[in-house]
Amino acid sequence: MNGAGGRGERGRRRARPTAPRGRGTARAAARSPSQARSAGGSSPAGAATLQAPQRGRDTVRGRDTVRSSRPARRVSTIRSPPTDPATSGGRAPAAPRGRAPAAPRGRAPATRAPTAQRRAAMPDGAAATSATVPRSLSAAGALGLRKVLQRLALGRQDVSEASRLVNQLTPKLTEAIRRQGGIFSFIEQKNAGSYYERVKVSEPNEFDIMFVIPVPLGVRLQLDQSDDTGAYYYLSLKRNPKEKYLSKYLDEDQKLSASKMLDELRDIIKREVSSIPDVTVKRKRPGSPAITLLITNPPSEISVDIILTLRVQQSWPSSTQGGLKIENWLGGKVKKDYRKEPLYLVAKQNKKEKVLKGNTWRLSFSHLEKRMMNNHGNTRTCCEANGEKCCRKACLKLLKYLLERLKMKYPKKLEKICSYHIKTAFFHSCVTWPNDTSWPMGDLEQCFQRFLKKFLDFLQKSHLPHFFIPQYNLLGPEDKASSNFLSSQIHYEWNNGFPIFQETS
């Protein structure tokens, strides 16, 4: 029965009229781009695609023959490295596509570039739309995100040496400052920043240390907003305290002068480090809240930012209402506990003031940001010793590294964008996708793309609300040019398989 069926099929093939030459080729050339993608798979420029075995018709000597299945073969879709739009006259050439079937006689070959290649060619600084972002990137493609993460891991020996030097220095400074008496008698050290949040990338060469002055319980401060952001305040005494520790720092407007306190702290630290080998105080930066120390540690330097901070036992200001939307992520109880925390204010000059007097203070939530970063799971077991590992921090490190590399290439154009923008977008992403199951380490590529898309949305709208102060937009109109430029560069990197991750410093 099987043999009869085979003979009948061969007989029918012999009786069928022959196809004209080039028929199968014409079909391939006429296929629409969407059909081509569905047949061959979708892949971004720069990634290798795997062609699946196919059955179809081919034309050989005027007869239709059945093409047998062939083993899959890997075909590279890039023949030369992509060109950066910022260094090639404003346009990146599209990556050449693979060998296309010949066009039928009498018709010109199609010249339209594939979708991924058209996306990659984007003028420098152009505001890209979300439609230009590839839908997905293969885990086996040019990304190699896990290999990038391995490179970002801090060396254990380097970390040990850097932390040893910092831990030798800061206790000496704390004791020297306390010996000055007055408001500095009760100063405390509080560690903050990416190193202590365990999201530092590249090198352990930057440390943030908050020197916290606890305001006595009997002292009540009046907080008056200095602008419409809800982040900067003037501080004044509600009544004359018995202790005169703070009164000496009032200016002519009876405002607590951040600059007076910061200058005194700087003088104390300079006197102390003058006798410590290999430690210097960096020149003062206008408007900076930090006193930066440099520790010489050949072949590099370690930077330690000392940040003067006040801790006040009173309610958070009204500008924080509506912020910290962590109920579905970390839970309502955690939010209540956080909002019971004291108020922290750092000595930071508000650059929007017409007359800069150095008497403004900015709300700080560094202590809570560190707690959220280190306790980021909604199941309370995420990333613990016996718990499931999520990729939240991995995604954050990758985007921080991407910004770091781009800022090295374009320091002027990206000077207004900093890692705090990425951290804020990260917290918003944790709220948007609160469950630990939304961040499995096995789906690192997809999770990173999702986070990247969220960050791009903030850039394109030029609107990134502060996580604790929702009315405070961290990407104001003055940052529009930097936001647009960064958006275009991220789109270029994404569409070309992130070549910047492969570049050497």
Side-chain angles (χ1 to χ4, degrees), residues 49 51 73 75-79 95-101 114 117:
T49 59
Q51 291 189 346
R73 62 190 178 94
V75 180
S76 175
T77 60
I78 268 193
R79 296 180 184 271
R97 63 188 301 177
R99 181 176 297 172
Q117 295 171 8

Side-chain angles (χ1 to χ4, degrees), residues 310-362:
L310 296 181
R311 185 175 66 213
V312 187
Q313 294 288 344
Q314 59 190 67
S315 301
W316 293 10
S318 59
S319 63
T320 61
Q321 295 297 322
L324 192 61
K325 296 180 179 180
I326 60 173
E327 294 90 340
N328 294 329
W329 171 30
L330 301 177
K333 184 180 183 300
V334 174
K335 179 175 180 176
K336 288 180 180 178
D337 291 342
Y338 282 0
R339 289 195 63 89
K340 291 177 183 177
E341 286 284 315
L343 196 61
Y344 285 76
L345 300 115
V346 299
K348 171 67 175 174
Q349 184 171 284
N350 185 359
K351 296 180 181 179
K352 291 184 178 181
E353 289 186 306
K354 293 181 180 179
V355 180
L356 300 179
K357 296 184 177 180
N359 59 356
T360 55
W361 299 78
R362 188 187 65 194

Side-chain angles (χ1 to χ4, degrees), residues 18-192:
T18 58
R21 183 179 298 274
R23 176 180 170 187
T25 308
R27 282 180 179 172
R31 183 184 297 162
S32 68
S34 60
Q35 290 171 328
R37 282 194 301 271
S38 64
S42 175
S43 175
T49 59
L50 193 65
Q51 291 189 346
Q54 299 177 353
R55 283 184 70 87
R57 296 188 182 276
D58 206 349
T59 304
V60 179
R61 296 181 182 176
R63 297 196 307 274
D64 283 346
T65 61
V66 180
R67 187 167 67 242
S68 60
S69 300
R70 284 182 287 183
R73 62 190 178 94
R74 191 169 296 276
V75 180
S76 175
T77 60
I78 268 193
R79 296 180 184 271
S80 59
T83 304
D84 192 330
T87 60
S88 62
R91 179 169 291 273
R97 63 188 301 177
R99 181 176 297 172
R105 293 179 181 177
R107 294 181 60 183
T111 58
R112 190 179 184 189
T115 303
Q117 295 171 8
R118 294 197 308 274
R119 287 169 179 160
M122 182 166 49
D124 179 15
T129 63
S130 59
T132 64
V133 178
R135 291 184 179 179
S136 62
L137 291 172
S138 170
L143 268 177
L145 296 183
R146 285 171 171 79
K147 291 184 178 179
V148 176
L149 281 173
Q150 291 175 1
R151 295 206 314 266
L152 296 183
L154 302 180
R156 186 169 297 179
Q157 184 174 351
D158 294 338
V159 169
S160 177
E161 176 64 12
S163 59
R164 181 185 68 82
L165 293 172
V166 174
N167 291 336
Q168 284 179 348
L169 174 63
T170 52
K172 293 180 180 179
L173 295 180
T174 302
E175 289 302 317
I177 294 168
R178 285 175 178 169
R179 288 196 298 267
Q180 304 302 310
I183 195 66
F184 294 115
S185 301
F186 312 102
I187 204 165
E188 302 170 4
Q189 176 181 330
K190 204 173 193 63
N191 300 330

Side-chain angles (χ1 to χ4, degrees), residues 26 30 51 64 74 79 111 163 200 208 265 278 288 297 332 344 386 404 412 436 461 471 491:
Q51 291 189 346
D64 283 346
R74 191 169 296 276
R79 296 180 184 271
T111 58
S163 59
K200 186 76 176 71
D208 294 334
L265 180 62
D278 302 325
S288 172
N297 183 40
Y344 285 76
N386 298 320
E404 180 182 289
K412 291 294 184 182
D436 298 342
K461 295 173 184 175
Q471 71 188 57
H491 275 88

Side-chain angles (χ1 to χ4, degrees), residues 129-427:
T129 63
S130 59
T132 64
V133 178
R135 291 184 179 179
S136 62
L137 291 172
S138 170
L143 268 177
L145 296 183
R146 285 171 171 79
K147 291 184 178 179
V148 176
L149 281 173
Q150 291 175 1
R151 295 206 314 266
L152 296 183
L154 302 180
R156 186 169 297 179
Q157 184 174 351
D158 294 338
V159 169
S160 177
E161 176 64 12
S163 59
R164 181 185 68 82
L165 293 172
V166 174
N167 291 336
Q168 284 179 348
L169 174 63
T170 52
K172 293 180 180 179
L173 295 180
T174 302
E175 289 302 317
I177 294 168
R178 285 175 178 169
R179 288 196 298 267
Q180 304 302 310
I183 195 66
F184 294 115
S185 301
F186 312 102
I187 204 165
E188 302 170 4
Q189 176 181 330
K190 204 173 193 63
N191 300 330
S194 59
Y195 175 81
Y196 298 102
E197 293 167 348
R198 300 186 180 94
V199 290
K200 186 76 176 71
V201 298
S202 300
E203 297 180 63
N205 57 357
E206 294 179 350
F207 294 79
D208 294 334
I209 309 292
M210 300 172 71
F211 275 11
V212 181
I213 298 176
V215 176
L217 290 175
V219 177
R220 299 291 296 174
L221 294 178
Q222 174 71 40
L223 274 66
D224 298 305
Q225 290 191 35
S226 68
D227 61 11
D228 58 355
T229 64
Y232 291 87
Y233 289 84
Y234 301 114
L235 304 183
S236 56
L237 301 175
K238 282 192 172 181
R239 55 180 177 270
N240 290 327
K242 294 180 180 179
E243 299 89 352
K244 303 298 182 182
Y245 297 154
L246 289 175
S247 301
K248 62 179 290 189
Y249 302 107
L250 297 177
D251 62 12
E252 62 274 11
D253 298 323
Q254 296 301 297
K255 300 289 191 300
L256 191 61
S257 174
S259 60
K260 284 186 177 182
M261 295 184 70
L262 196 58
D263 288 344
E264 184 170 338
L265 180 62
R266 171 181 284 272
D267 290 340
I268 296 171
I269 292 175
K270 285 179 71 175
R271 288 197 301 269
E272 181 64 21
V273 302
S274 62
S275 59
I276 302 177
D278 302 325
V279 180
T280 57
V281 179
K282 193 175 179 179
R283 181 177 297 179
K284 182 179 180 180
R285 292 172 293 171
S288 172
I291 302 168
T292 303
L293 307 180
L294 297 177
I295 304 175
T296 303
N297 183 40
S300 62
E301 283 185 330
I302 297 173
S303 172
V304 182
D305 281 349
I306 305 295
I307 303 166
L308 174 63
T309 310
L310 296 181
R311 185 175 66 213
V312 187
Q313 294 288 344
Q314 59 190 67
S315 301
W316 293 10
S318 59
S319 63
T320 61
Q321 295 297 322
L324 192 61
K325 296 180 179 180
I326 60 173
E327 294 90 340
N328 294 329
W329 171 30
L330 301 177
K333 184 180 183 300
V334 174
K335 179 175 180 176
K336 288 180 180 178
D337 291 342
Y338 282 0
R339 289 195 63 89
K340 291 177 183 177
E341 286 284 315
L343 196 61
Y344 285 76
L345 300 115
V346 299
K348 171 67 175 174
Q349 184 171 284
N350 185 359
K351 296 180 181 179
K352 291 184 178 181
E353 289 186 306
K354 293 181 180 179
V355 180
L356 300 179
K357 296 184 177 180
N359 59 356
T360 55
W361 299 78
R362 188 187 65 194
L363 295 180
S364 173
F365 302 93
S366 298
H367 59 301
L368 296 181
E369 291 166 359
K370 184 173 76 172
R371 285 167 64 176
M372 288 192 298
M373 199 73 74
N374 293 331
N375 300 280
H376 54 257
N378 70 325
T379 60
R380 307 294 188 274
T381 59
C382 181
C383 292
E384 291 187 356
N386 298 320
E388 291 289 330
K389 305 296 182 184
C390 81
C391 65
R392 288 181 177 95
K393 284 190 173 182
C395 292
L396 177 60
K397 287 181 179 180
L398 287 169
L399 188 48
K400 285 183 62 170
Y401 182 57
L402 177 59
L403 177 63
E404 180 182 289
R405 296 306 298 256
L406 288 172
K407 283 176 71 73
M408 288 172 64
K409 291 181 70 174
Y410 313 110
K412 291 294 184 182
K413 291 185 176 182
L414 295 177
E415 63 181 348
K416 293 187 177 180
I417 308 294
C418 64
S419 61
Y420 191 76
H421 292 104
I422 292 177
K423 183 200 279 192
T424 302
F426 171 76
F427 288 139

